[in-house]
Amino acid sequence: METILAKLDGSNDEAYINKAGEILRNGGLVAFPTETVYGLGANALDETAVEGIFKAKGRPQDNPLIVHITEFGELSKYACDIDGKTKLLLEHYWPGPLTVVLKRKPVIPAAVSAGLDTVAIRCPSNPYARAVIKAAGVPIAAPSANSSGRPSPTKASHVYEDLNGKIDMILDGGSCDIGVESTVVSLAFGSPVLLRPGAVTLEQLKGILGEVETDKAIFEKTDPKRKVSAPGMKYRHYAPKAKVIAVLGDDDKSVAYIKDKLCASDISTGVLCYNGEEKNYTAADKIIPYGDENNALSLAQNLFDALRTFDETDVKLIYARCPSADGVGLAVFNRIIKAAGFETVSL
Ligand code: TXA
Ligand code: MG
């Protein structure tokens, strides 16, 4: 299949977006930018189109998809039991990087939700994402537009690397603002549960919902055979080819630990570090500063691009400086410890 590459640079945007809408309506697959990461879209009401997503990504069949809409008012077409707190939450954070899991209405095919009786729904804020969904005129099921197991794409070039020749179109809208996937919160079974941390923070969710539990899979390895609340959380996502060791805790101790390990290392080793501390790691084979230590959003923005850049090198081991698990830092922490297969060093 030939994949159409369309750059949204103002010269031909409307035509490209209309074309994308037509492809989606007709059962095709289109990758498009959102404020979090690039999504791989298909008509959520068309079971065959949705099956195409699983094929193109090589995605396990038991991992459900998020349905994307453009208005809060559409939510009740696809989900039921929307209570007052859910409404309040969505008034605050939609459109934006927040996905809610609710009871699924039968109009959403079971294949979208991997057979669960719930559905995950998100209303993105990125203007290109919104324009594409509107042009399609149907709700859009969209996982991140990477091959299953690779870091999520935050640039059109990442989508191209993974999916060129496997999908109909890639809309290139530049780099994603947030860089990690949306916060996923389940509101389907009484008490709210955070299933995946993102840019809408746990603290913000608690501010509106009161008590919010955190799913174990955010912090710990789960048995792949066990039934988990967010099936996607059990896979070793975000995984670069090299082994990753997440280094947590005290700054000075972390820098000293990595320095020591680099000196002792006889394999090609990389460091994922904070801006300005590169000088400590002259013994590394590849150093990637990924943002400002005091600005977790800047770390989120560059994390997946950095992991992909390591894949272009021959480093076999990566020491990753990992922020503390609060605010947006929890999302970065979670992606790094997952990339590390939960192998962490706490100092
Ligand atoms: O930011 C995002 O959410 C991006 C953009 C494209 O919108 N999408 C995304 O989709 O990250 P994906 O498929 O890569 O991740 C969806 C996550 C998975 O962990 C999945 O298991 C969980 O949401 N999920 C989806 N439907 C669910 C459901 N009904 N119940 C529980 N978890 C669900
Ligand atoms: Mg994904």
Side-chain angles (χ1 to χ4, degrees), residues 269-280:
T269 305
V271 182
L272 178 68
C273 69
Y274 300 140
N275 292 349
E277 61 179 30
E278 300 89 323
K279 60 182 183 302
N280 294 295

Side-chain angles (χ1 to χ4, degrees), residues 22 83 135 172 207 222:
E22 186 190 314
D83 65 14
D172 179 354
T222 52

Side-chain angles (χ1 to χ4, degrees), residues 90-268:
L90 299 181
E91 262 167 33
H92 269 81
Y93 295 109
W94 271 12
L98 175 66
T99 298
V100 286
V101 174
L102 294 164
K103 296 245 162 67
R104 174 170 61 91
K105 283 198 170 170
V107 61
I108 298 289
V112 168
S113 291
L116 300 173
D117 54 11
T118 54
V119 61
I121 304 197
R122 170 158 119 79
C123 178
S125 61
N126 178 290
Y128 296 131
R130 298 179 62 78
V132 172
I133 302 166
K134 281 189 183 145
V138 290
I140 298 297
S144 47
N146 51 295
S147 293
S148 210
R150 291 215 72 200
S152 291
T154 56
K155 295 176 177 173
S157 59
H158 299 159
V159 181
Y160 184 87
E161 275 168 29
D162 286 13
L163 298 176
N164 182 41
K166 297 181 177 171
I167 63 176
D168 296 286
M169 190 177 195
I170 300 172
L171 291 171
D172 179 354
S175 295
C176 299
D177 288 342
I178 294 171
V180 292
E181 309 86 342
S182 62
T183 304
V184 181
V185 61
S186 173
L187 299 162
F189 307 105
S191 50
V193 185
L194 176 68
L195 300 179
R196 181 174 73 181
V200 172
T201 64
L202 179 60
E203 294 82 352
Q204 287 172 322
L205 295 177
K206 286 181 175 170
I208 294 189
L209 299 171
E211 210 37 54
V212 178
E213 282 174 50
T214 50
D215 193 73
K216 263 171 77 171
I218 295 172
F219 299 100
E220 295 169 24
K221 196 172 203 148
T222 52
D223 178 349
K225 285 185 219 104
R226 193 174 69 89
K227 212 169 153 38
V228 291
S229 314
M233 295 296 279
K234 74 186 175 195
Y235 296 105
R236 184 180 177 244
H237 267 182
Y238 327 113
K241 290 175 195 150
K243 176 184 161 80
V244 177
I245 296 176
V247 182
L248 303 155
D250 181 80
D251 276 327
D252 293 342
K253 285 185 187 160
S254 297
V255 171
Y257 174 86
I258 297 172
K259 255 170 118 171
D260 273 4
K261 289 291 176 185
L262 288 171
C263 279
S265 174
D266 52 8
I267 54 171
S268 181

